[in-house]
Amino acid sequence: TMRERLNKGVPRVRKLGFDIGDKVKIKEGPFIGFEGTISEIDPVHEKIIVLVNIFDRQTPVELEFDQVEKIS
């Protein structure tokens, strides 16, 4: 049983610091400094979709978890 567990590996469990509707600020990438609202979360690929206001339109931007920080 131990060998089976070692071969399968340990599943990664990461505490998400985000919820849908949270306000975040982008801290890396081409949209650095923009603020937006989380609309989708993909914990498997560690990506989120943030709606950013660009030219008075809500534009979805796909980012990784470490590219944003939550606004309190």
Side-chain angles (χ1 to χ4, degrees), residues 2-16:
M2 286 299 274
R3 287 183 190 247
E4 287 177 29
R5 285 187 181 176
L6 289 173
N7 289 336
K8 288 183 183 177
V10 178
R12 287 189 343 186
V13 177
R14 182 174 176 182
K15 170 112 173 95
L16 302 177

Side-chain angles (χ1 to χ4, degrees), residues 5 7 19 21 33 46 51 53 60:
R5 285 187 181 176
N7 289 336
D19 291 312
E46 296 186 356
L51 295 176
N53 192 2

Side-chain angles (χ1 to χ4, degrees), residues 11-36:
R12 287 189 343 186
V13 177
R14 182 174 176 182
K15 170 112 173 95
L16 302 177
F18 306 107
D19 291 312
I20 293 177
D22 283 351
K23 301 278 186 195
V24 294
K25 183 174 183 177
I26 300 172
K27 61 181 187 176
E28 289 181 17
F31 297 99
I32 191 167
F34 280 82
E35 295 180 2

Side-chain angles (χ1 to χ4, degrees), residues 31 34 52-59:
F31 297 99
F34 280 82
V52 178
N53 192 2
I54 301 174
F55 302 119
D56 292 327
R57 292 190 175 181
Q58 293 293 315
T59 306

Side-chain angles (χ1 to χ4, degrees), residues 18 45-48 62-68:
F18 306 107
H45 297 105
E46 296 186 356
K47 299 205 181 244
I48 58 175
E62 184 177 296
L63 301 162
E64 295 183 11
F65 287 167
D66 60 351
Q67 289 181 301
V68 297

